[in-house]
Amino acid sequence: MDYSFDFAPVFQAWRLLAEGAWATTWISAISMAAGLVLGTILTAMRMAPVGVLRALAIGYIEIIRNTPFLVQVFFIFFGLPALGLRLDAMQAAILTMTLNCSAYIAEIVRSGVQSIRPGQIEAGKALGLPSFDVYRFIVFRPAIRAVYPSLCSQFILMMLNTSLVASISAQELTYAAQMIDNRTFRSFEVYFVLGAIYLALSQLFSLGLQLIGRSYFSYPTK
Amino acid sequence: MSAVAARIRPDQNPQAVTDHPAQATITMSAVNKWYGKMHVLRDIDLRVNKGEHLVLCGPSGSGKSTLIRCINALEEIQSGTIEVNGNVLGRKGAKVDHIRRDVGMVFQQFNLFPHLTVLQNCMLAPRRIHRATEAEARDKAMHFLEQVHIAEHGHKYPAQLSGGQQQRVAIARALCMGPQVMLFDEPTSALDPEMVKEVLDTMIGLADQGITMICVTHEMGFARAVAHRVIFMDRGEIIESAPPSEFFGAPKHERTRAFLGQILNH
Ligand SMILES: Nc1ncnc2c1ncn2[C@@H]1O[C@H](COP(=O)(O)OP(=O)(O)O)[C@@H](O)[C@H]1O
Ligand SMILES: [Mg+2]
């Protein structure tokens, strides 16, 4: 093996990497938030007394969870313009990530809701609160708390999945690395550093999510 | 809230209250309920008058919880009618939320909301339903928390309170909605013995204020002290209904006697 490692060209392009990392961070953050909202709506539909809503939610969740993420990205970026919806690469990336993770989140949130004792819901109803308020003010927070670790893993997984949107030239971290590779031909070094940056991002996200969790779920339980 | 009324002693002939038709707060007529094939309420006829205190007892599984849970539509009935404060609960009740606002409920397991402080537990429903301002809801919550002697714990979370304290908060939370009727489902059964008294005392205080109450309980001392009528249920039927002196002194039915023998002799 006579390959001599040279990381210098990679580090010289640090600006590109930093911009890419930042893009990955914010598109992930937006998709997580939007995915949580959409996932919660899907959960509500999934558990609604109305059969049509349930069927819609189940259909959606099954389709998303049983098709590859990359195919979903291509469908939205290359396929939707046929219907007149033309999105730029970033918009398509965020939309796909949101739609994709909402299906997984819906299943997680549902198991959280199911972990809530029926007495909690009954107490809310007995006070005269309408169902929506019961779920919003009584069920939601303890339900999310119950599944927060799974929710966080799902978020991290989704953040890592963003690397796939480089394939539609969305300018995030992996895309930046590919550009550097094309210029320097230092593939080993580039992707080694790229992996390290993703690892660091995972740790940062994990920490951030833990901090959010700690403040939102700070109430004591027995 | 009305002024504190003198406690009506059970021996002062509660029938005088009972027979006044205009004052019925709850009327159950020919109510039947099944869980699948199991017939858990059989032709229940029950009138509860304004200000009346009812104690409901009977063996486990006899349908006591089911009966009171039908009154605020936590359970659906299959036939018969239930009228609460003039609102009729149909099979698919349209005014369910209205009825629930008039009827407070206290559960065996307290069912406080763990993520809300004591104050927030009490303020949630008035804020959402009566659109009370933060300050109004807080004042009202403090008023009832003081009444149940727990105001100093307003900023604690349920998990930081003892069972007896939690149950008193649950009572205050229900009172914040200004209910006409209070339903209690074995409110002291999940408590350690040393905490039973504080909860019963709170309930006695409430009874003294003249609110309509239906309590499922086996605390016979409580029944003697506040009940106008004690009702014995068995296998989904109301077997006997009498003022406490009669109920305990001269029960008419064999099943009532057997039941009383069991619970009073240990
Ligand atoms: N959700 C339910 N599904 C099926 N059966 C039930 C349900 N709740 C109660 N039951 C049954 O109905 C009967 C009456 O129950 P319940 O009203 O809880 O009795 P009690 O409060 O007097 O102990 C019991 O036999 C019980 O097993
Ligand atoms: Mg019961």
Side-chain angles (χ1 to χ4, degrees):
Chain A
M1 203 184 84
D2 52 4
Y3 185 83
S4 61
F5 296 103
D6 183 6
F7 282 90
V10 180
F11 291 132
Q12 268 156 26
W14 66 271
R15 250 200 114 80
L16 267 177
L17 289 173
E19 279 166 13
W22 171 241
T24 290
T25 302
W26 73 259
I27 61 178
S28 299
I30 291 179
S31 308
M32 282 176 199
L36 183 60
V37 173
L38 189 56
T40 306
I41 294 172
L42 281 170
T43 305
M45 288 170 62
R46 181 87 172 69
M47 302 179 83
V50 187
V52 183
L53 291 180
R54 271 204 311 275
L56 277 175
I58 292 171
Y60 175 85
I61 291 168
E62 287 302 306
I63 289 169
I64 294 285
R65 303 210 314 168
N66 292 290
T67 52
F69 179 70
L70 198 54
V71 172
Q72 294 164 12
V73 176
F74 286 161
F75 180 78
I76 285 179
F77 187 62
F78 298 119
L80 285 189
L83 303 180
L85 184 63
R86 207 169 291 279
L87 300 171
D88 69 32
M90 259 332 184
Q91 290 166 340
I94 292 173
L95 180 61
T96 316
M97 286 180 348
T98 301
L99 295 180
N100 180 272
C101 85
S102 70
Y104 292 92
I105 289 174
E107 289 298 276
I108 296 172
V109 172
R110 186 165 70 103
S111 71
V113 170
Q114 284 169 340
S115 76
I116 301 301
R117 286 190 300 115
Q120 291 285 304
I121 295 167
E122 287 171 1
K125 285 185 183 171
L127 285 166
L129 289 166
S131 284
F132 182 79
D133 280 12
V134 170
Y135 282 94
R136 178 172 161 205
F137 294 106
I138 297 170
V139 175
F140 185 72
R141 193 131 72 104
I144 297 293
R145 172 171 162 145
V147 294
Y148 198 61
S150 327
L151 212 50
C152 291
S153 319
Q154 188 58 47
F155 283 152
I156 301 288
L157 215 58
M158 192 207 61
M159 190 273 289
L160 297 177
N161 256 341
T162 58
S163 68
L164 289 167
V165 303
S167 55
I168 56 167
S169 306
Q171 305 194 356
E172 43 64 77
L173 184 56
T174 301
Y175 181 82
Q178 285 173 340
M179 299 235 307
I180 299 169
D181 183 30
N182 289 342
R183 257 192 335 215
T184 63
F185 301 107
R186 286 276 161 197
S187 299
F188 179 93
E189 290 86 341
V190 168
Y191 293 115
F192 185 87
V193 171
L194 179 64
I197 298 177
Y198 273 113
L199 192 61
L201 278 182
S202 300
Q203 300 302 307
L204 277 176
F205 266 88
S206 200
L207 186 70
L209 289 167
Q210 251 178 52
L211 290 178
I212 292 173
R214 213 169 285 169
S215 71
Y216 190 57
F217 302 125
S218 62
Y219 61 91
T221 47
K222 280 229 176 92
Chain B
M1 290 299 110
S2 64
V4 176
R7 167 140 14 121
I8 304 162
R9 290 272 154 211
D11 42 50
Q12 288 171 325
N13 187 14
Q15 247 61 32
V17 191
T18 325
D19 286 344
H20 202 302
Q23 296 209 314
T25 297
I26 300 169
T27 312
M28 300 176 85
S29 316
V31 169
N32 281 280
K33 168 151 188 81
W34 283 265
Y35 282 117
K37 286 192 173 147
M38 190 164 50
H39 199 172
V40 288
L41 293 182
R42 299 167 186 261
D43 285 318
I44 299 288
D45 286 304
L46 180 66
R47 271 241 331 253
V48 185
N49 292 310
K50 197 163 185 301
E52 200 179 8
H53 309 144
L54 236 64
V55 161
L56 199 54
C57 62
S60 172
S62 58
K64 307 178 298 292
S65 300
T66 306
L67 189 152
I68 63 168
R69 289 159 58 85
C70 287
I71 295 172
N72 64 352
L74 287 181
E75 304 288 351
E76 272 183 18
I77 59 175
Q78 274 74 47
S79 73
T81 57
I82 300 178
E83 196 179 318
V84 182
N85 271 333
N87 292 309
V88 178
L89 265 176
R91 272 167 229 176
K92 297 260 183 226
K95 286 187 177 170
V96 167
D97 283 348
H98 278 256
I99 290 181
R100 286 174 177 162
R101 286 162 204 181
D102 285 343
V103 178
M105 187 166 216
V106 175
F107 301 85
Q108 184 174 346
Q109 298 295 340
F110 330 133
N111 293 343
L112 294 182
F113 309 131
H115 57 301
L116 302 179
T117 63
V118 163
L119 260 173
Q120 289 167 337
N121 262 276
C122 294
M123 291 164 63
L124 176 62
R127 291 221 59 189
R128 298 298 304 167
I129 296 166
H130 294 151
R131 298 284 160 192
T133 64
E134 171 95 26
E136 286 164 357
R138 182 179 301 271
D139 286 350
K140 184 171 276 180
M142 285 308 287
H143 171 81
F144 288 110
L145 289 171
E146 271 158 26
Q147 185 180 324
V148 302
H149 306 295
I150 200 141
E152 71 275 19
H153 296 301
H155 292 283
K156 290 194 179 164
Y157 287 92
Q160 296 166 320
L161 302 180
S162 73
Q165 291 171 324
Q166 289 190 55
Q167 195 59 299
R168 284 185 283 139
V169 172
I171 294 171
R173 178 176 72 181
L175 292 175
C176 283
M177 284 301 289
Q180 319 267 318
V181 180
M182 285 287 285
L183 307 175
F184 293 84
D185 192 357
E186 305 209 32
T188 57
S189 299
L191 297 176
D192 293 334
E194 73 271 20
M195 292 167 188
V196 169
K197 186 172 180 300
E198 68 190 53
V199 171
L200 289 179
D201 285 346
T202 305
M203 291 166 64
I204 291 171
L206 200 57
D208 282 343
Q209 296 186 355
I211 196 166
T212 310
M213 283 168 77
I214 304 181
C215 308
V216 176
T217 181
H218 291 159
E219 294 290 340
M220 292 305 149
F222 173 81
R224 284 182 202 276
V226 307
H228 297 121
R229 265 193 296 160
V230 184
I231 290 178
F232 174 68
M233 272 184 85
D234 194 16
R235 289 175 229 159
E237 282 177 299
I238 292 180
I239 305 290
E240 183 150 0
S241 164
S245 50
E246 216 174 290
F247 186 87
F248 295 111
K252 289 194 187 67
H253 290 261
E254 182 49 41
R255 279 195 256 173
T256 315
R257 283 195 288 272
F259 174 75
L260 285 176
Q262 270 171 18
I263 62 164
L264 296 178
N265 288 339
H266 70 224

